[in-house]
Amino acid sequence: MLNIAPALAAWCRADRPFAVATVIDATGSTPLPVGTSMAVDADGRVAGSVSGGCVDATVHELCRQQLKEDGTPEEAQFDSSDTDAWAAGLMCGGGIRVHVQRVHPADRHHLAATLTAAAEGRTVGLLQITRSADPTLAGRVLPLSDDGTPAPAGPVPPRLAALAAGVHRTGVTGLVRTPEGADCAGAEALVHTRRPAPRMLVFGAVEFADALTQAGRFLGYHVTLCDARPVFATPERFPHAHRVVTDWPHRFLAATDTDERTVVCVLTHDPRFDIPLLRDALRRPLGYVGAMGSRRTHARRLELLRAEGVGPDALARLNAPIGLDLGATTPQETAVSIVAEILARTRGRSGAPLGGTTGPIHSRAGEVAHPAQR
């Protein structure tokens, strides 16, 4: 649901009736992950998609029916092994379970602020109750506080609220069910979680950096460009960066909060900048660290880093020369090479052609994939 937060926030603020269809379970190869939603308002306008186009026409009609009828939530299963599902167009080989509901008028008031915060890139959570023995609970969509508590918490049984809080704290989107015999036996809810965009730190105000900042922003990263030379590090030269900083790279990194989703791209290939920066970066739990330069430059870089006390395990995390072997020559092609490697490394994939691999094409991690939301 958070994938279409801007549209839903506007509809909530306008007190517009709408129905929302959400992928709550997926098996095999499917185009979009659990938590992805499509919504239809009273005028038939559509926001989002649940299948990348395959079954959206059928789901659109289900949403329209929700708006015309009493609003009792329903589910639809689309599976490529089913003849009707093939007729609906799900031909990717997997299956999805889609929950369709009209959003409760009382929830729209609470949702507006949360959806607006999600659209602004802040950390938010929603609890969507998909099944409940209590008919007044089924279909409710409630914001989650920072600790994962539903707000208002009163209507939600304690066992379900505790499970939802646990998932929310992990930072992923996932389905929770209460065990048999619990205070809300048979209840099921989808926990939607959105974290701020991951960070891409690009060091070096060089020609390749403009294309890389554009590619990083396109993928959903919050992009910062840093260089110690004020004549080169200007917003005019790098309009796609969210922030342009003039500072020594290692000093900027030392003052910057990073996490396991942060990616660092070092494009300067100058030891004065590279070595202090990479020495410190490789000691942090970053998602990706890459450095530009020739193989000869990289061999010398490794010698200097070893002299700085960087151990073999840390050096093994350094992706250099940066990027995948795509035959890139232009800055734009090089940017594609770099972000392709970032995607492969951060997703734990090989980067090999799909035609030469086996196994699932899409991750089944359960969360709404990012980059931008991982």
Side-chain angles (χ1 to χ4, degrees):
M1 196 175 294
L2 298 177
N3 65 301
I4 49 174
L8 296 188
W11 293 353
C12 285
R13 287 192 297 268
D15 201 28
R16 293 184 64 82
F18 64 88
V20 61
T22 303
V23 179
I24 61 173
D25 201 5
T27 58
S29 179
T30 56
L32 295 170
V34 168
T36 306
S37 296
M38 180 176 83
V40 180
D41 75 356
D43 294 331
R45 290 181 295 188
V46 180
S49 168
V50 295
S51 68
C54 297
V55 300
D56 287 346
T58 302
V59 173
H60 178 271
E61 184 57 31
L62 292 173
C63 288
R64 294 296 300 270
Q65 291 300 318
Q66 279 286 315
L67 290 168
K68 294 176 182 177
E69 298 171 358
D70 62 1
T72 302
E74 61 180 315
E75 291 185 5
Q77 181 79 33
F78 299 96
D79 190 324
S80 58
S81 65
D82 186 301
T83 302
D84 291 337
W86 277 90
L90 190 67
M91 298 178 287
C92 53
I96 56 175
R97 181 157 63 101
V98 178
H99 179 84
V100 187
Q101 66 175 80
R102 180 174 181 157
V103 173
H104 196 285
D107 291 342
R108 290 202 292 269
H109 172 72
H110 302 291
L111 283 174
T114 300
L115 292 167
T116 299
E120 294 171 351
R122 288 180 273 163
T123 298
V124 299
L126 291 174
L127 180 66
Q128 181 182 12
I129 302 175
T130 54
R131 293 180 183 176
S132 174
D134 181 351
T136 65
L137 270 181
R140 296 297 302 272
V141 184
L142 303 172
L144 297 174
S145 63
D146 291 343
D147 65 359
T149 302
V156 182
R159 184 69 65 90
L160 184 62
L163 290 171
V167 171
H168 178 65
R169 285 192 293 268
T170 68
V172 302
T173 290
L175 198 65
V176 295
R177 300 182 181 92
T178 56
E180 290 299 326
D183 57 351
C184 49
E188 179 185 79
L190 187 64
V191 181
H192 301 258
T193 303
R194 167 69 59 89
R195 292 193 285 174
R199 303 191 65 183
M200 173 183 282
L201 307 180
V202 180
F203 294 96
V206 298
E207 184 180 10
F208 294 95
D210 180 44
L212 182 57
T213 57
Q214 183 175 8
R217 185 165 188 152
F218 175 75
L219 288 180
Y221 284 97
H222 184 280
V223 182
T224 298
L225 184 286
C226 176
D227 194 295
R229 304 165 297 175
V231 68
F232 294 110
T234 66
E236 292 75 20
R237 293 191 70 224
F238 301 98
H240 305 293
H242 294 89
R243 184 185 179 198
V244 177
V245 176
T246 303
D247 199 353
W248 279 83
H250 71 282
R251 187 165 60 190
F252 171 74
L253 182 64
T256 300
D257 291 331
T258 59
D259 59 23
E260 73 286 352
R261 300 185 302 153
T262 304
V263 303
V264 169
C265 301
V266 182
L267 308 184
T268 48
H269 49 84
D270 183 333
R272 295 175 302 162
F273 300 109
D274 292 5
I275 302 307
L277 171 62
L278 289 171
R279 177 195 63 206
D280 297 345
L282 291 171
R283 291 170 179 167
R284 294 188 177 212
L286 302 172
Y288 172 90
V289 181
M292 181 173 278
S294 67
R295 298 187 190 282
R296 182 176 179 179
T297 296
H298 181 54
R300 176 58 178 160
R301 179 189 293 138
L302 291 177
E303 293 178 4
L304 295 173
L305 288 171
R306 291 188 188 101
E308 290 286 328
V310 181
D313 290 343
L315 290 176
R317 297 176 49 225
L318 177 57
N319 297 276
I322 196 170
L324 297 183
D325 182 11
L326 304 181
T329 55
T330 68
Q332 292 75 21
E333 292 172 348
T334 302
V336 171
S337 167
I338 294 170
V339 296
E341 182 175 62
I342 290 171
L343 286 174
R345 297 291 184 266
T346 57
R347 305 289 175 83
R349 306 304 285 256
S350 67
L354 287 172
T357 62
T358 59
I361 294 175
H362 302 289
S363 171
R364 287 273 70 85
E367 72 271 16
V368 175
H370 171 321
Q373 272 85 40
R374 284 182 305 104

